Amino acid sequence: MWHDAKSLNTTANGLMAFVLVVCVAAGVWWVSQRPMFDLRTITVESVDAKGLRHVNYLTLRAGTQGRIKGNFFTSNLESVRSVFESVPWVRRASVRREWPNQLIVALEEHEALGTWGEDGRLLSVKGDVFTANVAEAEDDHELPAFSGPDGSEKDVLATYVNLAKWFAPLKMAPESLSLSSRYAWTVKLNNGMSVALGREQNHTTLKARVDRLVGIYPQLASRLDNIDTIDMRYQNGLALSSAGLVIPAEGKDGRPAPAIKKKTSSATKKPA
């Protein structure tokens, strides 16, 4: 080998190329570590024109302080994104670099629709369950109450939207909606009445039951005060309970005695 000039030249060229690459890499690393590339500013902006209602400087500082590492070159954008998405009210974050020492973070905020379950969580208008200060959400509007098995959040949201439309002719709106572990639906309306809708046998089951109730409710309301519950799980009828159901009684003189109000119920057939 030592007498082979071609091999010696090839080896020498290879070593020189290796040394050059190492020197270039070392130079790049040295330049990248200069103070001018230390992260000096992290600019936060909203992804839409509505701006950020609940995410502010204090919550961002509390949620990110000490958790963002590196400089302009070495910071891991995926890690930075995860840090911001762990801040209360943040639904999604995207991060990009801005030369020479800045990061731009665009945030999408959760918009709370109502509460979820009994552990203080919230359900967003996009069907996401998240943890935040419920009192802050209540400042925006009254919060309907939702509950259901894990993974049913988007189904509950979709059903709520449909029920709001279906009960609109009665000028009523859902104020709570629950899906049981057996996947049976119960809705409470803003007049205080609770309606059992049962399980969905097909994609028209719930609407058909609500339509029957909407059709007959004016007659029921004209005869009864304070209907507490209505059970629509019957194929051709319903069951109800009302504290205002009046049962006339006959007095000793043959004239009607004062009305007696009694909570009672009526039903036809068995629940479907």
Side-chain angles (χ1 to χ4, degrees), residues 199-208:
R199 288 180 289 180
E200 292 185 84
Q201 298 168 352
N202 54 58
H203 67 282
T204 64
T205 302
L206 294 187
K207 188 175 189 309

Side-chain angles (χ1 to χ4, degrees), residues 15-44:
L15 289 173
M16 288 181 64
F18 174 76
V19 171
L20 181 61
V21 169
V22 170
C23 290
V24 170
V28 170
W29 181 87
W30 182 84
V31 171
S32 70
Q33 300 304 308
R34 295 305 87 202
M36 67 175 294
F37 298 116
D38 291 343
L39 291 177
R40 300 186 184 277
T41 306
I42 298 178
T43 301
V44 175

